[in-house]
């Protein structure tokens, strides 16, 4: 799906700002009153202040009046949402215009011509934040009868981050020709010696046109060449390298009867990705991932788009010597993806498939009744949602050079019967849908050890979240080291041709807390914990990278093992460094991006 940009044939305006707001039942035929307002984009939760409203589950209504731009008879006005978490129903003057399920991907509605008029239209969005066993992420949904007889909906997250909701990303109104560029797919093949790139650009238009013109420009806006039948061979292309990004732009035009119908500019990078002999190659060189699992999570904004925080995070990432992050546990904003392209930061792109483990909340909440049985794959009805998020993510992110791999799910119960039947078609779908055929991985949970796991042979890279010295052998780094070493050796022996990526390892740490001894939660323990892991990683040939959990502390639901959120960050929630950052900086600055493990 194309990002909204101004071109000769398209104009974009922002609808961000202050909207009317109400939680609970509402008739969209009637205008909302002005009693309450909400900022778009943001999560409403922390902004409303009131405790009940913060944790409210159900419908929240957003409304503004807006003037539509004037358009010609061959143009249309489109309303575009970067994301609405988790489900949206969009109305114009009380009439349903469209619906979208899923909280992390963009969607559009074309505004019908009958609404193109001089005075403003009333735009209403019903935002629903319910999660259950049919949605991704997965939530434990309950209805509780209150003392006064009313019913209160609740969602207990089946995952470890706060269920922030609202209109989370940009809202745009834009104009485009009716017969427009619907999609642009860019792929490139590099020759073995990297001296030539065969670039292919496929353009999809709504209806037939006389001509499609595609020109490639370099960063100095110099014309590099024009495509013939969608193909161009570039001699000595400048490659998109890790932390040394180079972006070309494809300028696409549709022509009809000698007139320009539509134009769009898509940037792209030329680079290659492949997995071979237990290594992960970028531009034919074995790459070592240094970086983070992250969250979109900041004070006040919650999960709402925070572009200053995004840029600061990527600057901090570079500062500490890292080169990559994973969009745990959902697709991040388009703005973040564009920034990563620009800065040369490698991204592992994840769909919001988290919570596919019946006992997850039980495992994280020690007071839980523990009655739940391990029959995740009978209980979950998420296949339809899963196919949708795969299709929508790849449709949105396929052209990003920063994206080097897709994640089909985070920590599913891949050791329970039924996992293989569930994942096989989804993994195949991911591979087939992606025009660049990037590697696919599944992020494996600590219970799904090599002897129990049912799915890792299906993926290209063995991604592991491991917590030796934390959830396993808590506080005992000696036993933790033995366990970690034994398990990694087991994976290495089982899949000698697959790279192993450590996608999570971490220890909750409260800044300022110190001890003479190895005591969990202290800054000293975090340092020793990571030291131990790095000692082990460096001895396993197929470990092609380390992404710590987490970049920064983040908000979670209230739980026995959470002290006002998850504190495994290397940085605090406010992005202040913990003691361990100095250690990481030393290690990561010394590890090259390429050829760390193999020459
Ligand atoms: C894993 C999850 C991650 C959690 C983390 C933790 O993938 O979302 O936040 O562990 O417990 O289970 O800190």
């Amino acid at each position: 799906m194309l990002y909204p940009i101004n071109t000769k044939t398209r104009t974009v305006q922002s609808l961000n700002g202050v909207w009317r707001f109400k939680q609970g039942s509402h008739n969209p035929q009637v205008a909302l009153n002005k009693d309450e307002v909400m900022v778009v984009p943001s999560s409403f939760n922390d902004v409303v202040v009131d405790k009940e409203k913060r944790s409210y589950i159900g419908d929240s209504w957003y409304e503004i009046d807006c003037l539509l731009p004037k358009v010609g008879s061959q143009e249309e006005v489109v309303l575009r949402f970067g994301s609405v978490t988790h489900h949206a129903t969009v109305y114009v003057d009380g009439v349903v215009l469209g619906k979208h399920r899923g909280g992390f991907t963009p969607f559009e509605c074309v505004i019908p011509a009958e609404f193109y008029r001089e005075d403003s239209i009333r735009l209403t969005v019903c935002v629903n934040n319910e999660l259950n066993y049919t949605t991704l992420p997965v939530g434990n949904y309950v209805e509780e009868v209150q003392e006064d007889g009313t019913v209160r909906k609740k969602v207990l997250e089946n995952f470890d981050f706060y269920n922030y909701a609202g209109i989370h990303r940009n809202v745009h109104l834009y104009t485009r020709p009716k017969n427009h560029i619907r999609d642009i797919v860019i792929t490139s093949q590099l020759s073995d010696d990297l001296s030539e790139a065969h670039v292919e650009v496929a353009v999809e238009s709504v209806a037939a046109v006389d001509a499609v013109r595609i020109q490639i420009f370099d960063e100095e806006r110099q014309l590099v060449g024009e495509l013939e039948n969608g193909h161009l061979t570039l001699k000595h292309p400048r490659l998109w390298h890790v932390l040394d990004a180079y972006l070309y732009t494809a300028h696409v035009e549709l022509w009809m009867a000698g007139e320009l119908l539509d134009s769009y500019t898509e940037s792209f990078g030329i680079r290659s990705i492949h997995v071979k002999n237990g290594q992960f190659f970028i531009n034919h060189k074995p790459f070592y991932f240094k970086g983070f699992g992250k969250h979109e999570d900041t004070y006040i904004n919650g999960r709402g788009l925070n572009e200053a925080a995004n840029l600061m995070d990527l600057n901090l990432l570079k500062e500490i010597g890292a080169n990559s992050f994973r969009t745990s546990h959902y697709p991040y904003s388009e703005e973040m993806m564009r920034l990563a392209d620009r800065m040369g930061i490698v991204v592992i792109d994840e769909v919001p498939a988290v919570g596919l483990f019946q006992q997850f909340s039980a495992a994280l909440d020690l007071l839980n009744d523990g009655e739940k049985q391990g029959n995740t794959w009978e209980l979950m009805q998420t296949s339809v949602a899963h196919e949708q998020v795969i299709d929508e993510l790849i449709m949105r992110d396929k052209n990003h050079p920063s994206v080097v791999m897709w994640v089909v799910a985070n920590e599913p119960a891949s050791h329970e019967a039924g996992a293989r039947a569930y994942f096989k078609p989804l993994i195949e779908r991911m591979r087939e849908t992606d025009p660049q055929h990037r590697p696919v991985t599944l992020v494996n949970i600590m219970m799904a050890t090599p002897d129990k796991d049912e799915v890792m042979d299906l993926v290209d890279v063995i991604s592991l979240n491991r917590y030796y010295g934390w959830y396993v052998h808590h506080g005992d780094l000696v036993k933790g080291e033995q366990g970690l070493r034994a398990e990694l050796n087991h994976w290495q022996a089982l899949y000698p041709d697959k790279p192993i990526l450590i996608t999570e390892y971490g220890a909750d740490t409260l800044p300022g807390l110190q001890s003479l001894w190895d005591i969990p939660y202290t800054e000293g323990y975090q340092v020793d914990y990571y030291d131990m892991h790095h000692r082990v990683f460096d001895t396993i040939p197929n470990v092609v990278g380390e992404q710590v959990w987490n970049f920064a502390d983040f908000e979670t639901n209230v739980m026995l093992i959470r002290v006002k959120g998850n504190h495994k960050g290397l940085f605090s929630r406010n992005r202040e460094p913990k003691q361990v950052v100095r250690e990481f900086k030393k290690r990561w600055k010394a590890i090259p991006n390429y050829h760390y493990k193999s020459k």
Side-chain angles (χ1 to χ4, degrees), residues 439-549:
V440 172
T441 192
L442 178 146
V443 173
N444 168 291
I445 194 166
M446 55 189 169
M447 297 81 170
T449 43
D451 49 318
K452 299 199 185 95
D453 165 80
E454 288 200 357
V455 301
M456 295 312 271
D457 63 308
L458 300 172
V459 294
D460 302 295
V461 172
I462 308 288
S463 295
L464 304 175
N465 291 353
R466 288 300 179 272
Y467 288 93
Y468 286 98
W470 193 256
Y471 294 120
V472 182
H473 305 308
H474 186 70
D476 187 341
L477 293 176
V478 174
K479 281 210 181 98
E481 178 163 353
Q482 288 161 2
L484 177 67
R485 199 180 290 280
E487 195 191 337
L488 291 185
N489 277 321
H490 195 163
W491 285 108
Q492 166 83 40
L494 197 58
Y495 297 113
D497 290 332
K498 290 190 200 276
I500 300 170
L501 177 62
I502 310 298
T503 31
E504 288 185 23
Y505 62 122
D508 285 80
T509 303
L510 300 177
L513 204 62
Q514 293 288 2
S515 165
L516 272 179
W517 309 285
D518 258 0
I519 304 287
Y521 296 99
T522 62
E523 295 203 75
Y525 188 79
Q526 193 181 31
V527 170
D528 295 345
Y529 171 96
Y530 279 116
D531 255 7
M532 178 278 270
H533 281 78
H534 296 151
R535 224 171 18 245
V536 177
F537 298 165
D538 284 344
T539 64
I540 312 286
N542 284 13
V543 168
V544 296
E546 50 200 55
Q547 292 195 326
V548 304
W549 191 256

Side-chain angles (χ1 to χ4, degrees), residues 121-303:
I121 60 160
R122 184 166 56 87
L123 174 63
T124 313
V125 185
C126 177
V127 178
N128 179 283
N129 60 349
E130 292 168 27
L131 294 174
N132 54 41
Y133 293 158
T134 69
T135 62
L136 290 177
V138 174
N140 300 289
Y141 178 81
V142 285
E143 293 185 354
E144 274 182 10
V145 182
Q146 309 293 289
E147 273 178 7
D148 64 1
T150 57
V151 170
R152 190 171 166 86
K153 296 174 176 177
K154 283 195 165 176
V155 168
L156 173 62
E157 293 92 334
N158 209 39
F159 44 84
D160 183 36
F161 53 93
Y162 190 79
N163 182 24
Y164 279 116
I167 300 183
H168 271 164
R169 297 179 189 153
N170 291 324
V171 186
H172 289 117
L173 207 55
Y174 74 93
T175 65
R176 69 182 174 200
K178 283 185 181 155
N179 186 5
H180 54 266
I181 302 164
R182 209 184 246 153
D183 201 9
I184 300 171
V185 181
I186 306 178
T187 50
S188 56
Q189 293 292 328
L190 271 171
S191 61
D192 286 347
D193 64 356
L194 304 176
S195 69
E196 251 182 42
H198 183 72
V199 180
E200 213 175 311
V201 181
V203 176
E204 193 191 320
S205 59
V206 175
V209 291
D210 288 347
V212 179
R213 185 170 194 208
I214 307 166
Q215 293 175 310
I216 307 292
F217 291 87
D218 65 15
E219 281 192 1
E220 281 69 50
R221 297 176 191 209
Q222 296 301 308
L223 180 67
V224 176
E226 185 156 342
L227 276 77
E228 272 175 42
N229 298 321
H231 297 267
L232 177 75
T233 300
L234 278 185
K235 301 255 183 236
H236 307 294
R238 175 119 177 233
L239 301 188
W240 187 95
H241 275 298
V242 178
L243 299 180
D244 180 22
Y246 192 85
L247 296 176
Y248 289 95
T249 47
H251 184 84
V252 178
E253 292 178 344
L254 300 185
W255 287 82
M256 196 71 169
E259 283 196 16
L260 177 68
L261 211 56
D262 193 13
S263 71
Y264 191 88
T265 303
E266 177 82 331
S267 52
F268 67 100
I270 297 176
R271 53 107 185 89
S272 72
I273 308 284
H274 70 276
V275 165
K276 213 174 121 188
N277 299 337
Q279 298 297 311
F280 193 100
F281 293 83
I282 298 183
N283 295 335
H284 303 182
K285 290 182 286 189
F287 173 66
Y288 196 79
F289 292 83
K290 303 175 279 178
F292 302 93
K294 283 184 92 290
H295 265 298
E296 291 188 315
D297 173 281
T298 54
Y299 284 113
I300 304 173
N301 297 50
R303 191 143 293 119

Side-chain angles (χ1 to χ4, degrees), residues 100-101 105-106 387-396:
H100 183 261
R101 277 174 73 76
T105 35
E387 287 176 6
Q388 185 196 336
V389 292
I390 287 173
D391 293 354
E392 289 187 3
L393 178 67
I394 295 179
M395 192 175 25
R396 192 194 78 164

Side-chain angles (χ1 to χ4, degrees), residues 18-22 31-34 36-38 61-65 122-123:
V18 177
W19 292 41
R20 302 191 286 278
F21 180 73
K22 186 193 172 195
L32 269 184
N33 65 36
K34 298 187 175 65
E36 257 190 279
V37 292
M38 184 47 59
W61 298 84
Y62 287 70
E63 192 169 272
I64 46 159
D65 301 318
R122 184 166 56 87
L123 174 63

Side-chain angles (χ1 to χ4, degrees), residues 330-360:
Y330 37 79
Y332 290 1
S333 67
E334 292 158 282
E335 290 72 18
M336 184 58 147
M337 304 306 286
R338 292 162 75 89
L339 206 54
D341 285 349
R342 181 67 281 152
M343 294 173 73
I345 290 167
V346 169
V347 180
I348 300 175
D349 211 356
E350 182 161 304
V351 292
V354 58
L356 287 165
F357 182 19
Q358 191 200 347
Q359 289 177 314
F360 185 79

